[in-house]
Amino acid sequence: MKIAFLFLALLTTTAIRAQQPADNDAYKKFVPAGYEVRDAVSGDLNGDHIPDVVLVLQPKAAATSPDTPEARPFMILLADSRHRLSLVVTNKDFILPADIGGTQGDPYVSTTIDSCSFTVQQYYGSRERTRTETTFCYVPAKKDWLLNKVVITTEDALNADAAQTVVKKGKQLKPVSIKKYTGD
């Protein structure tokens, strides 16, 4: 029992350490005026064993019109051998606007990085809720991250037995780049 607990504690510590937010401020120079960092996660995104950074940004002020929600840029910053960051991807359509989460609040949940791939979780709705987990994997030949897996879970707060999960991966998906992904 003690060994199992020790193993679980070690595994949890390792997972937490791998997903810690970027700890230096080098990424802040990539944040445009009028935006702030909603999330910053570091990990190896391209297989060079050097920690890179994923940023999710949000406007500092609320949208001026509810009909035109402001974009929340998703950015990938790669680090070179001297740990200098460079911006390689900006996608303004991937992260859902903060005000469409319904009773669940902000739909953005988290980004995780694992072995040259990243997964973004978003959750929205009120009585009828949707959770999406979208995974992109790095393809060295293309020097790009391509859509690899989408998990969509729908649930009804009044009928827990009605929850459905759809998993699409591999040939079920178009190999779309993170640069052009819109969530469709």
Side-chain angles (χ1 to χ4, degrees):
M1 181 69 167
K2 289 181 182 179
I3 293 174
F5 178 74
L6 180 61
F7 177 73
L8 182 61
L10 181 61
L11 187 62
T12 303
T13 303
T14 303
I16 290 170
R17 197 173 290 153
Q19 295 302 319
Q20 286 181 345
D23 55 357
N24 65 27
D25 292 343
Y27 63 84
K28 290 186 178 178
K29 69 182 181 182
F30 296 96
V31 178
Y35 284 87
E36 62 188 2
V37 176
R38 167 68 170 83
D39 198 6
V41 182
S42 64
D44 183 11
L45 288 167
N46 61 351
D48 63 1
H49 306 291
I50 299 170
D52 306 300
V53 178
V54 166
L55 294 178
V56 174
L57 305 181
Q58 64 187 16
K60 286 184 178 179
T64 55
S65 167
D67 296 332
T68 57
E70 291 192 47
R72 299 206 299 170
F74 177 88
M75 303 170 111
I76 295 178
L77 309 172
L78 291 184
D80 64 15
S81 61
R82 297 170 116 180
H83 298 275
R84 292 177 301 198
L85 296 172
S86 62
L87 176 63
V88 295
V89 171
T90 299
N91 181 323
K92 294 184 178 181
D93 298 317
F94 185 22
I95 304 300
L96 296 170
D99 62 351
I100 71 156
T103 60
Q104 302 308 306
D106 184 346
Y108 175 76
V109 176
S110 67
T111 298
T112 56
I113 298 173
D114 183 35
S115 301
C116 300
S117 67
F118 60 86
T119 301
V120 173
Q121 290 187 40
Q122 300 186 83
Y123 187 54
Y124 55 91
S126 65
R127 193 192 108 203
E128 295 175 346
R129 302 174 188 154
T130 302
R131 176 180 301 278
T132 62
E133 296 177 25
T134 310
T135 302
F136 287 81
C137 290
Y138 185 68
V139 177
K142 295 190 180 276
K143 294 186 179 182
D144 199 358
W145 294 263
L146 301 182
L147 183 62
N148 178 263
K149 182 177 172 183
V150 177
V151 179
I152 301 171
T153 303
T154 55
E155 50 192 47
D156 185 329
L158 299 178
N159 185 359
D161 295 335
Q164 295 180 341
T165 299
V166 175
V167 179
K168 294 181 182 179
K169 59 185 177 178
K171 294 180 181 180
Q172 297 173 313
L173 298 168
K174 291 180 185 176
V176 64
S177 165
I178 181 57
K179 297 171 188 170
K180 297 181 180 189
Y181 185 73
T182 61
D184 300 332

